[in-house]
Amino acid sequence: MASRHPVLMYLLKRIAVYLITVWGAFTVAFVFFRLVPGDPIGSFAASMMQRYGQRIQDAEAMIQAYRQMLGLDGSLFHQYIRYLSNVFLHLNFGPSLIAFPTPAIEHILRALPWTIGLLGLSTVIAWTLGFVIGGLVGFRRDSPISATLTNLAIVLSQIPPYFMALALLFLLAYSLQWLPTRGAYAANVTPALNWAFIASVIRHGTLPALSIIFISVSGWLISTRSLVISILGEDYLLFAEAKGLKRGWILTRYVLRNAMLPQVTGLAMSLGFVMNGFFLVEWVFNYPGLGTLFLNAIGMLDYNVVQGIVLMSITVILTATLLIDLLLPLVDPRVRMGGSR
């Protein structure tokens, strides 16, 4: 069977590994959040008493009712079965403590488009710039400009994204006052599909996007440069030069085309990790994405929101990896023939 249908067996194995990994990740997340110290219900009751300045009648009964609503009552096994059923069958993470009783999934879905728009677009722009500049730097690796750009990229790649965000915030927002300091759009603009709102979103998103692009583009530049330098030693390029082909033709038709496949795979992986890498950048600019929601939820011990974001992040990463594996037989003949990668 495996020898007659190698692609089918490859796809079935990858899908089986994906399902088992998702189940394992969700199980680990369930156990982890049950082991985290602290009592979210007790903290919620305490915050309500502080808010209203008086003792709540029947506080113990209220805490038990909240435990039941949040799925924290019963044995650990029953909690686990209920948790898997709610998440897999109903996409229900329970109510949020930040704005009780609004479901946690509503908060997550409300913040998700901002994160995808900011981090996704920034990642694609950084990849494009890094691939083009890295290709040119690798192709002309002996020039002083290439050496300067490579050293600059190495330095920038070591800077944490949140530090770059703080530096740009100080320079472009507080000192020069070119860009706004926080938020996703101006307070006097009503969200709608018109130019005033779009322009405000672009203006407020420029600074956090630059923080991500400056850091990400350096990594893509370095990796593309290494790929191009390794490709330049291939015999077919020496043959192309011996035929008298123009260097620009060799760069675009042979070098960058061969370097693109592993970099596109890397881009797909980066888009999968986009929800993880730059949460602190959102928080620095108070951008209403998943990063700000995640950190606020941790401060409030809102486990349902935190757990929902973590599980969504895990699912996105694993799904991106699965899609890459499923597309691999189309571009790699070794997989189609039943060989290993």
Side-chain angles (χ1 to χ4, degrees):
M1 177 87 178
S3 59
R4 286 185 298 172
H5 305 285
V7 176
L8 178 61
M9 293 303 298
Y10 168 82
L11 296 178
L12 290 177
K13 285 181 180 177
R14 289 297 182 273
I15 293 173
V17 169
Y18 168 77
L19 294 176
I20 293 173
T21 308
V22 169
W23 169 75
F26 277 51
T27 301
V28 170
F30 170 83
V31 174
F32 173 79
F33 283 105
R34 290 325 188 259
L35 295 178
V36 172
D39 182 7
I41 307 301
S43 300
F44 178 65
S47 68
M48 288 187 66
M49 285 188 282
Q50 290 177 353
R51 185 184 309 170
Y52 298 111
Q54 57 185 1
R55 185 173 180 77
I56 299 176
Q57 296 293 330
D58 300 325
E60 186 59 33
M62 186 196 74
I63 289 174
Q64 291 303 323
Y66 277 117
R67 287 191 186 283
Q68 186 176 7
M69 281 187 286
L70 295 174
L72 298 175
D73 61 321
S75 66
L76 195 62
F77 178 74
H78 284 96
Q79 291 183 36
Y80 177 66
I81 297 299
R82 190 164 52 223
Y83 155 82
L84 290 182
S85 172
N86 288 334
V87 173
F88 280 107
L89 300 181
H90 308 290
L91 196 61
N92 178 18
F93 299 103
S96 166
L97 292 181
I98 295 178
F100 188 84
T102 304
I105 189 65
E106 286 192 22
H107 288 290
I108 296 172
L109 293 179
R110 201 177 299 149
L112 186 61
W114 293 106
T115 294
I116 293 176
L118 174 66
L119 302 187
L121 190 60
S122 301
T123 301
V124 172
I125 293 174
W127 181 87
T128 305
L129 292 175
F131 181 75
V132 173
I133 299 174
L136 293 173
V137 167
F139 196 64
R140 298 182 177 277
R141 60 187 182 281
D142 297 327
S143 70
I145 296 177
S146 295
T148 303
L149 288 175
T150 302
N151 292 329
L152 180 63
I154 292 173
V155 173
L156 287 176
S157 65
Q158 302 304 314
I159 298 176
Y162 63 86
F163 185 82
M164 177 63 74
L166 292 173
L168 291 177
L169 184 67
F170 174 77
L171 177 64
L172 299 179
Y174 288 112
S175 298
L176 300 176
Q177 298 184 354
W178 287 352
L179 295 168
T181 59
R182 56 189 297 155
Y185 54 87
N188 59 350
V189 175
T190 303
L193 194 58
N194 54 49
W195 174 243
F197 177 68
I198 294 173
S200 183
V201 169
I202 293 175
R203 181 172 161 77
H204 282 72
T206 299
L207 206 48
L210 286 177
S211 308
I212 298 168
I213 290 172
F214 278 149
I215 298 299
S216 299
V217 72
S218 56
W220 291 118
L221 189 152
I222 295 170
S223 60
T224 305
R225 176 183 178 276
S226 301
L227 278 172
V228 168
I229 290 176
S230 65
I231 292 172
L232 288 178
E234 298 291 338
D235 292 338
Y236 63 89
L237 288 182
L238 298 176
F239 181 69
E241 289 183 356
K243 286 179 63 177
L245 295 179
K246 294 181 179 179
R247 290 179 62 81
W249 179 274
I250 295 175
L251 173 64
T252 56
R253 295 286 177 166
Y254 296 105
V255 178
L256 292 182
R257 179 172 291 184
N258 286 323
M260 181 172 287
L261 179 59
Q263 292 300 77
V264 168
T265 304
L267 173 63
M269 293 294 294
S270 296
L271 291 174
F273 282 92
V274 74
M275 294 171 64
N276 292 344
F278 299 102
F279 274 5
L280 282 176
V281 173
E282 286 189 356
W283 183 76
V284 168
F285 294 100
N286 196 25
Y287 202 79
L290 288 178
T292 303
L293 177 64
F294 184 75
L295 294 174
N296 290 337
I298 289 177
M300 290 285 294
L301 291 180
D302 191 343
Y303 289 164
N304 286 344
V305 171
V306 175
Q307 187 171 262
I309 294 175
V310 170
L311 294 179
M312 184 172 290
S313 176
I314 291 172
T315 305
V316 169
I317 293 170
L318 293 176
T319 303
T321 307
L322 174 67
L323 290 177
I324 294 171
D325 286 341
L326 295 183
L327 292 174
L328 203 60
L330 300 177
V331 296
D332 193 340
R334 293 174 298 177
V335 178
R336 291 198 296 270
M337 298 300 293
S340 58
R341 281 191 278 173

